[in-house]
Amino acid sequence: MRIGPLAFPWWAALTAGALCALGVVLGNWQSDRAEEKRAITDRLADFARVPAIRLGDAPGAAEDYLWHKVEVHGEFDAQRTLLLGNRLYRGKPGYYVVTPLRIDTGRRYVLVLRGWMASGSAPPVQAVPPGMRVIRGLAVPRVARMYEPGAPGHERVRQNVDLAGFEIESALPLQPFFIEQRGEAEAGLVQDWPPHDALLDKHRMYAGQWYSLAALSIVIFLVLSFRHGRRSADA
């Protein structure tokens, strides 16, 4: 195809169109991720001021609780405590400690991310006091995943935990989120959690890079088409 000094080989147009579409799609995806992180940032900014949502034994919808301050009364099931390995805090290796909490006196549980402990520390099972207690924290959808070679394990010490898998493994009915406990750290546990908006700027940067790729593919296509058209006219 020729328009004035421009010649458009079909394969070049197809390649440029595909690259442009890819750049726009991935740019939009990263922009959406950035918007999600920004919304989380805004909600966390109000964390200290807003009242906590009381979590009961009835099944809850994740969207009603995620990124909100929650409060729950219950008792820890210490024997099902999990230690998630290879978690760093200020450069030191350690574990995230996750324990199921039986809500009120019902049958439903919620997984509580109780804190970080250094490697070599005594296992925290015995440190969980028995009886009912009040847990306050932030409802989060997941715990950050670490690289896990091979199939996920079912041991007490492992790399990762996901809600659906642990619910099947433990046969415990779970609420569809974790509680990142805040404000009442037990002895030996640290609750200085990583910020959840840490990737906001990265998502924005990646979006800009993908949009730039989309624009660059069109520019390169037009430049090459112009040169191809001039060579064809001079031949």
Side-chain angles (χ1 to χ4, degrees):
M1 180 192 304
R2 176 183 294 277
I3 301 177
L6 299 181
F8 301 94
W10 68 267
W11 55 266
L14 185 62
T15 301
L19 287 175
C20 182
L22 177 64
V24 171
V25 169
L26 294 178
N28 288 343
W29 177 63
Q30 290 291 347
S31 294
D32 290 342
R33 296 293 303 277
E35 182 59 26
E36 290 175 7
K37 294 293 190 301
R38 188 198 60 77
I40 292 171
T41 301
D42 292 343
R43 190 169 293 176
L44 293 180
D46 295 330
F47 182 84
R49 298 190 295 271
V50 298
I53 301 175
R54 174 68 185 273
L55 178 62
D57 178 58
E63 58 270 19
D64 294 335
Y65 294 92
L66 286 180
W67 308 114
H68 285 285
K69 182 194 298 185
V70 295
E71 176 181 297
V72 57
H73 294 205
E75 184 175 8
F76 279 122
D77 184 347
Q79 299 304 318
R80 286 192 170 96
T81 292
L82 301 177
L83 303 180
L84 308 184
N86 290 331
R87 309 292 169 152
L88 296 178
Y89 176 70
R90 296 184 178 178
K92 297 180 181 180
Y95 303 95
Y96 279 171
V97 181
V98 181
T99 304
L101 180 84
R102 183 185 178 189
I103 303 173
D104 293 326
T105 56
R107 59 183 298 271
R108 192 164 299 277
Y109 290 72
V110 63
L111 289 182
V112 179
L113 188 57
R114 292 165 49 208
W116 175 92
M117 76 172 194
S119 299
S121 302
V125 173
Q126 294 80 7
V128 181
M132 300 291 290
R133 56 188 306 178
V134 179
I135 299 298
R136 298 179 179 88
L138 180 71
V140 297
R142 66 189 66 85
V143 181
R145 292 189 62 82
M146 304 297 290
Y147 172 70
E148 185 172 26
H154 297 284
E155 299 80 12
R156 181 164 164 261
V157 179
R158 58 181 73 181
Q159 293 291 95
N160 300 295
V161 60
D162 68 272
L163 287 168
F166 187 76
E167 188 167 37
I168 294 172
E169 172 190 341
S170 64
L172 298 178
L174 298 175
Q175 296 287 10
F177 47 83
F178 295 82
I179 294 180
E180 189 180 84
Q181 188 177 357
R182 299 185 174 202
E184 299 178 3
E186 302 160 22
L189 296 182
V190 177
Q191 292 179 2
D192 186 11
W193 303 112
H196 290 282
D197 59 348
L199 297 179
L200 176 60
D201 290 337
K202 284 190 176 181
H203 286 307
R204 288 172 174 168
M205 179 186 68
Y206 293 152
Q209 290 175 345
W210 284 117
Y211 288 140
S212 295
L213 173 65
L216 184 62
S217 65
I218 298 301
V219 171
I220 292 176
F221 168 68
L222 292 175
V223 169
L224 293 179
S225 297
F226 179 79
R227 291 180 178 177
H228 181 74
R230 292 194 63 179
R231 287 197 299 267
S232 299
D234 293 340

